[in-house]
Amino acid sequence: MILRNIFNKLKKKKFKIIILFSLLIYLLLYFLIKNEFFYNASQYTTTYLNYYINTYLSNIADDLIFDNGIIMYIESDVQNIFSSLFLYAVSFNNKIFLIFSIIMTLYVFYYISSIFYNDVFNNGAISKVFRIGEKKYLNDTIITNSIYCGLLFLIPKILYFILLNVFFPNGVSYVHFLGQTSFLSEKFLYIAYNCSPIMLVCLDFAITFLYGIIISLISLIIISIIKNKSLSYIAFIFFISSISIIQSIFNLSPLIFYNSIYNYFNFYTKVSLELNVFEPIIFSVIISSVLYIITRYILRYRIRMRI
């Protein structure tokens, strides 16, 4: 039942339009960062080759060539700094992505509000509860729409990553640093990329999906409590803003940054150089679980008031 409902939602034209719009935003982000990225990467490669020639080849550049190919014994994976993995990582740490995240967050609230306002306050849920039962209705309502909102955030990122892998190599290159020269300006990547870059991309997918679930649950809670639509929008914006500000005061990554593990890490490296790459995932799972319990309780209370 839940899977069928999710699949039906994914087939709708509105969902496809949102996914296409999100993907276009990601492509815009790529065009905004590509010049700086490739310039920094090429400059670093040039610096590295000069260092290698001077240090290991007695300043004889011809010795780089062996059997019609370039040979390097130290940091031979330096060529992979042009990888799609790094391009993906540096795409999200900018104001446009932050604004886009805020817009998508508001859209999720609009989507949840437009669907469930009638159920909660105009007795729309009564016939559904009598037909399938209260427990099944609550599970279908909360889980289906939470997963749907999670996919709304996740699918464009997956498509963007696939496109990057189509046009760029995906080899793994760990962080290279030579003296005061590097191709990375994001401090957090020096720490985060001590683990597998591929694993970090997968963790970014996970936290993005969980962020969509968290926002959908918060939306359901606010809609179930506040009857006035305009006031509910104000309450939602106030709640998200307040939580983010409070988290910042206590040196925690703001909730709005949970749409990208890279933004999450970038905030923390301004405070500390010690990172646990699994920390945001664990925290998001705990928050999602707590919000699910609260949402289920409040929504059930509202429905029973109407029956």
Side-chain angles (χ1 to χ4, degrees):
M1 181 70 174
I2 293 177
L3 290 177
R4 186 171 70 249
N5 289 340
I6 294 173
F7 184 71
N8 289 335
K9 288 178 178 291
L10 297 183
K11 292 192 298 183
K12 291 184 177 180
K13 184 178 180 180
K14 182 182 292 185
F15 175 80
K16 295 176 182 178
I17 292 174
I18 294 298
I19 295 299
L20 179 60
F21 171 75
S22 301
L23 182 58
L24 291 175
I25 294 296
Y26 289 148
L27 291 176
L28 173 63
L29 295 176
Y30 162 74
F31 284 110
L32 290 175
I33 61 98
K34 70 179 182 69
N35 289 340
E36 181 181 0
F37 175 85
F38 287 113
Y39 174 79
N40 290 340
S42 60
Q43 288 293 104
Y44 177 80
T45 303
T46 300
T47 302
Y48 175 77
L49 288 175
N50 290 334
Y51 169 82
Y52 185 87
I53 293 169
N54 293 332
T55 306
Y56 299 101
L57 301 179
S58 301
N59 207 26
I60 303 174
D62 290 342
D63 288 348
L64 276 175
I65 308 300
F66 178 79
D67 195 21
N68 295 321
I70 296 178
I71 181 169
M72 288 189 292
Y73 297 101
I74 309 297
E75 297 188 7
S76 59
D77 62 343
V78 70
Q79 60 186 333
N80 290 331
I81 64 175
F82 296 92
S83 168
S84 58
L85 296 170
F86 285 113
L87 267 171
Y88 179 86
V90 299
S91 294
F92 306 113
N93 185 29
N94 54 70
K95 292 182 180 179
I96 291 180
F97 178 72
L98 180 60
I99 294 172
F100 170 71
S101 296
I102 294 172
I103 292 173
M104 285 299 296
T105 299
L106 291 173
Y107 173 78
V108 167
F109 183 81
Y110 162 77
Y111 165 78
I112 297 293
S113 175
S114 62
I115 290 179
F116 293 107
Y117 185 85
N118 183 61
D119 278 17
V120 175
F121 295 108
N122 294 333
N123 300 327
I126 294 178
S127 59
K128 300 175 185 177
V129 170
F130 282 130
R131 187 173 71 253
I132 63 176
E134 180 186 80
K135 183 177 180 180
K136 188 171 179 58
Y137 169 78
L138 291 173
N139 286 334
D140 288 353
T141 297
I142 299 172
I143 297 175
T144 298
N145 288 280
S146 295
I147 293 176
Y148 171 80
C149 291
L151 293 175
L152 204 62
F153 283 92
L154 173 62
I155 291 178
K157 275 195 173 183
I158 293 178
L159 295 176
Y160 177 59
F161 184 65
I162 291 173
L163 285 176
L164 290 178
N165 279 275
V166 169
F167 293 102
F168 300 99
N170 60 0
V172 174
S173 175
Y174 294 95
V175 174
H176 294 272
F177 189 80
L178 189 62
Q180 298 299 315
T181 305
S182 176
F183 66 98
L184 293 174
S185 58
E186 290 79 3
K187 185 169 59 174
F188 74 92
L189 287 178
Y190 291 107
I191 304 160
Y193 269 79
N194 286 329
C195 70
S196 167
I198 295 176
M199 183 178 71
L200 207 60
V201 171
C202 293
L203 290 175
D204 184 63
F205 289 161
I207 196 172
T208 299
F209 180 71
L210 289 169
Y211 176 79
I213 290 176
I214 290 171
I215 295 302
S216 69
L217 293 173
I218 293 174
S219 300
L220 270 171
I221 291 172
I222 291 177
I223 291 167
S224 300
I225 295 174
I226 302 176
K227 185 175 182 179
N228 185 285
K229 279 190 175 183
S230 299
L231 189 59
S232 67
Y233 274 94
I234 296 173
F236 176 76
I237 295 172
F238 177 79
F239 180 82
I240 297 295
S241 302
S242 299
I243 291 295
S244 296
I245 292 172
I246 292 171
Q247 288 174 309
S248 299
I249 292 174
F250 289 96
N251 291 329
L252 299 174
S253 184
L255 178 61
I256 198 68
F257 282 4
Y258 277 68
N259 193 11
S260 168
I261 201 168
Y262 303 103
N263 283 355
Y264 178 93
F265 284 150
N266 197 39
F267 177 86
Y268 266 105
T269 50
K270 295 175 182 177
V271 180
S272 171
L273 292 179
E274 296 181 3
L275 292 178
N276 180 350
V277 294
F278 295 102
E279 180 181 283
I281 305 299
I282 296 171
F283 186 73
S284 296
V285 169
I286 294 173
I287 293 298
S288 300
S289 301
V290 172
L291 286 174
Y292 173 79
I293 295 172
I294 296 173
T295 304
R296 186 181 175 85
Y297 173 80
I298 293 176
L299 191 57
R300 181 176 61 187
Y301 174 77
R302 275 295 184 183
I303 289 172
R304 288 180 177 179
M305 286 183 60
R306 293 288 173 176
I307 296 177

